Amino acid sequence: MNQISFTDTYTLGEIVLENEHYRHYHYPEMLVRYDSNFIEFKQGSTLQEFIKAEEYLKEFHQKRGQNHLKFLFPVNYNPQVDLKAFLKEIGYGVGLLELYAIKPTDFPILPGNSDIEIQSVTRETLENLVNLKYQQDLEFGEEFAEQKKELTRRQFDNLMIQQVLAFYKGVAVGYVDLIISKETVEIDDLSVGELYQKKGIGSRLQQFAMTSYPNRTIILLADGTDTPREMYRKQNYQYLGFKFEILKVN
């Protein structure tokens, strides 16, 4: 488990610039997806280094009609006091990404539930997934939700991504994407409709990953300020580190 790190997680986007200080990720197919269009610092950043990187990213995004700025800091790095003060002053929101991992045999055994069915997405059920994700994504804006539709369809043909649907009494109510690599499977974009939460559906979506890939380490990224991280800890996931992320939307 110790060898698992943030480098094992999946980033949708291409590196369009890399220097000694940072990597710049860009995904022209979905410019409004913050998690695909950002700068990741490779080492601790001084205030002046950050300002220089911000100027570069701002110019790059403005040329493409993008209205956000997002930055990730190195693993387990806490930005300096003067940089934190500057970020707060100019309106950046600060978040925390936490990395978790688990061996499938350590995941709690769940009782059977005939109301819940978990299955891989097929060509016949793909539009169920597209429509379900669209409804969930509307909270991030109609433009994002519309572009996500096409992303979901593209990912169906991506052999390294397994799309999974959860049905409750025959109705599609939840989903997860499993990102498959040689050593790990990453749980990504897990969601259950609000009316169907607290029924064990999210846990069974995770269980599907455990039973489908018993010989790989299951990993996920969690919001370090949100309640699901407590659920992951209770499910025996191991905490492996954090990254600060900052975002400003104009």
Side-chain angles (χ1 to χ4, degrees), residues 42-247:
K42 298 162 69 173
Q43 57 193 32
S45 171
T46 66
L47 177 56
Q48 292 306 313
E49 288 170 342
F50 174 80
I51 291 174
K52 187 174 180 180
E54 184 195 41
E55 289 174 349
Y56 158 74
L57 187 61
K58 185 183 297 183
E59 181 181 355
F60 186 94
H61 278 189
Q62 285 176 345
K63 287 180 179 178
R64 291 156 180 81
Q66 296 173 273
N67 66 349
H68 78 277
L69 297 171
K70 179 178 177 177
F71 299 86
L72 279 177
F73 290 96
V75 178
N76 299 334
Y77 173 77
N78 198 339
Q80 297 175 5
V81 174
D82 61 340
L83 178 53
K84 278 188 171 181
F86 174 77
L87 295 173
K88 181 177 181 180
E89 180 182 345
I90 63 175
Y92 275 92
V94 179
L96 193 64
L97 279 179
E98 294 183 341
L99 176 63
Y100 290 88
I102 189 172
K103 293 294 185 183
T105 52
D106 293 333
F107 192 77
I109 297 174
L110 301 174
N113 187 329
S114 59
D115 290 334
I116 301 171
E117 183 181 1
I118 311 297
Q119 58 181 244
S120 292
V121 173
T122 64
R123 188 69 66 182
E124 289 71 29
T125 59
L126 176 57
E127 289 308 305
N128 291 77
L129 177 65
V130 170
N131 294 330
L132 191 58
K133 284 196 173 190
Y134 178 78
Q135 294 302 321
Q136 298 287 74
D137 291 331
L138 280 173
E139 67 172 295
F140 305 112
E142 189 170 351
E143 182 183 11
F144 177 86
E146 286 290 344
Q147 292 186 20
K148 184 78 171 290
K149 279 184 173 182
E150 296 309 312
L151 174 61
T152 301
R153 294 186 180 109
R154 288 195 299 272
Q155 289 182 328
F156 178 78
D157 295 314
N158 187 335
L159 295 180
M160 71 175 292
I161 299 178
Q162 182 178 4
Q163 298 169 321
V164 181
L165 269 172
F167 293 85
Y168 183 75
K169 296 183 178 180
V171 178
V173 299
Y175 53 82
V176 69
D177 293 335
L178 303 180
I179 302 168
I180 305 158
S181 65
K182 185 177 180 180
E183 302 292 335
T184 66
V185 173
E186 182 178 355
I187 290 175
D188 185 54
D189 200 18
L190 189 156
S191 181
V192 177
E194 187 175 356
L195 296 177
Y196 298 93
Q197 294 177 7
K198 302 188 185 301
K199 296 181 182 295
I201 296 170
S203 295
R204 283 167 176 81
L205 283 166
Q206 295 173 69
Q207 184 184 53
F208 182 90
M210 310 295 164
T211 56
S212 298
Y213 301 96
N215 298 318
R216 303 188 200 190
T217 302
I218 309 300
I219 63 175
L220 60 83
L221 292 173
D223 183 343
T225 62
D226 205 355
T227 51
R229 63 194 286 272
E230 300 302 328
M231 175 186 71
Y232 298 136
R233 290 173 184 261
K234 291 177 181 178
Q235 291 171 325
N236 299 325
Y237 284 86
Q238 300 299 305
Y239 168 76
L240 298 181
F242 70 87
K243 279 187 178 183
F244 273 104
E245 60 178 356
I246 59 171
L247 173 69

